[in-house]
Amino acid sequence: MFAFVGYPPTHLQMVYGVSATESGLLLVPMVVGLMATAFPSGQLMSRTGRYKAYPILGAAFVGLPRC
């Protein structure tokens, strides 16, 4: 996870020629999405004690075809 968060800013700067500030701002939606899914799922896991369904659902969601 940390490697992935570190790689896209470098890619954006080298390939697309954006500044460091722009590459950081382009990652804001990804970070917001990570927080928006991590907090509720963590609360549900701690409340119910069940955790196995979340990685399975996450892997299935990632595997869905994009339109």
Side-chain angles (χ1 to χ4, degrees):
M1 182 69 119
F2 291 114
F4 178 75
V5 171
Y7 177 72
T10 306
H11 178 76
L12 289 169
Q13 289 175 27
M14 293 178 145
V15 175
Y16 294 109
V18 300
S19 69
T21 304
E22 285 178 301
S23 67
L25 290 174
L26 287 169
L27 294 179
V28 169
M30 180 183 71
V31 174
V32 170
L34 286 171
M35 287 181 3
T37 56
F39 289 148
S41 63
Q43 288 178 344
L44 285 171
M45 281 186 252
S46 64
R47 195 176 302 147
T48 63
R50 297 176 184 242
Y51 61 90
K52 290 182 183 179
Y54 297 99
I56 294 169
L57 291 172
F61 182 73
V62 169
L64 290 175
R66 305 279 188 242
C67 292

